[in-house]
Amino acid sequence: NAGVTQTPKFQVLKTGQSMTLQCAQDMNHNSMYWYRQDPGMGLRLIYYSASEGTTDKGEVPNGYNVSRLNKREFSLRLESAAPSQTSVYFCASRRVQDTNYEQYFGPGTRLTVT
Amino acid sequence: KQEVTQIPAALSVPEGENLVLNCSFTDSAIYNLQWFRQDPGKGLTSLLLIQSSQREQTSGRLNASLDKSSGRSTLYIAASQPGDSATYLCAVVVKAAVNKLTFGGGTRVLVKP
């Protein structure tokens, strides 16, 4: 199993450009999550999808949109990138039957907006 | 709103010394607390997960304790090695929001040879 995979690993955008971050998991997990991590800080939840067909806002959703394409894939879109969105983005997934509520993380996408 | 705090933000110890990392949280109604390791420029590696009904978890040189009533967890790393140098993050899942991990800001550890 590859676990949680993210593409791309690195990206540089100019202000106003758009892009989509891709995330996929092969663990048959129901729930998927997008977090961002800023320097010296822990991760903050942007959006999540509790199950296929549903999405909900997290702590810092402004400037982002998400799509739960199917059970495996959950994408994060920046419609008009801003320097404040320079960050490391992590995707995670969880099996809802897991009473540990443990989330499994991807390797991250490092995004710089100039 | 759950808040998770890790103090100190950075720590430097000589090799061989035991490491003690602290994590505190404001809402004791949690399902679990998890400790992660993050190397510079890398992703998160899960170290230990403690369920709310447990008092501690151990894995090799690592031991994590949980005191829900006081809102504290401590990660002990015995006989530290330079390879233990990394940032350590703690995170909790609260019962009121099972779809959110709330993270602390992390403690950056340097183990000097």
Side-chain angles (χ1 to χ4, degrees):
Chain A
N1 285 351
V4 180
T5 57
Q6 294 182 233
T7 55
K9 287 187 169 55
F10 301 93
Q11 184 71 48
V12 179
L13 290 178
K14 294 184 178 179
T15 298
Q17 287 184 320
S18 63
M19 79 161 295
T20 299
L21 282 64
Q22 306 286 354
C23 173
Q25 51 88 13
D26 62 1
M27 297 176 283
N28 201 35
H29 286 176
N30 312 84
S31 301
M32 298 185 73
Y33 308 83
W34 276 106
Y35 292 86
R36 63 177 285 173
Q37 184 180 31
D38 298 307
M41 297 178 66
L43 282 68
R44 291 181 293 170
L45 183 64
I46 305 171
Y47 270 95
Y48 67 95
S49 172
S51 61
E52 189 178 354
T54 69
T55 61
D56 284 286
K57 295 178 180 179
E59 189 180 352
V60 288
N62 290 347
Y64 305 95
N65 286 304
V66 291
S67 295
R68 182 72 182 268
L69 304 171
N70 48 54
K71 191 173 185 179
R72 290 187 63 248
E73 299 172 289
F74 188 39
S75 64
L76 178 72
R77 183 160 178 84
L78 286 70
E79 291 291 353
S80 179
S84 61
Q85 294 178 305
T86 293
S87 190
V88 182
Y89 292 85
F90 289 98
C91 178
S93 68
R94 178 173 76 88
R95 187 173 69 94
V96 293
Q97 297 88 345
D98 178 4
T99 54
N100 278 341
Y101 298 94
E102 184 172 7
Q103 294 184 20
Y104 296 81
F105 285 82
T109 294
R110 282 148 187 81
L111 175 66
T112 301
V113 183
T114 60
Chain B
K1 178 186 172 185
Q2 176 73 275
E3 292 184 4
V4 180
T5 304
Q6 293 183 251
I7 296 173
L11 185 59
S12 180
V13 299
E15 182 177 2
E17 192 166 298
N18 295 335
L19 278 165
V20 180
L21 305 178
N22 298 306
C23 173
S24 61
F25 48 94
T26 55
D27 184 350
S28 62
I30 63 170
Y31 275 121
N32 68 43
L33 183 144
Q34 200 165 356
W35 283 95
F36 295 89
R37 170 184 171 139
Q38 186 174 32
D39 292 293
K42 303 294 184 183
L44 302 176
T45 300
S46 179
L47 296 174
L48 291 168
L49 182 148
I50 313 175
Q51 295 183 49
S52 62
S53 59
Q54 298 175 316
R55 297 282 295 187
E56 66 176 353
Q57 276 283 1
T58 298
S59 176
R61 293 185 296 113
L62 277 60
N63 175 278
S65 66
L66 175 64
D67 184 342
K68 269 198 318 178
S69 60
S70 66
R72 292 181 184 177
S73 176
T74 302
L75 178 66
Y76 300 90
I77 303 177
S80 62
Q81 304 167 359
D84 294 328
S85 298
T87 295
Y88 293 84
L89 296 160
C90 69
V92 298
V93 174
V94 298
K95 292 185 177 180
V98 299
N99 280 303
K100 179 182 175 184
L101 266 174
T102 302
F103 282 83
T107 294
R108 190 171 66 255
V109 171
L110 175 64
V111 181
K112 297 180 179 178

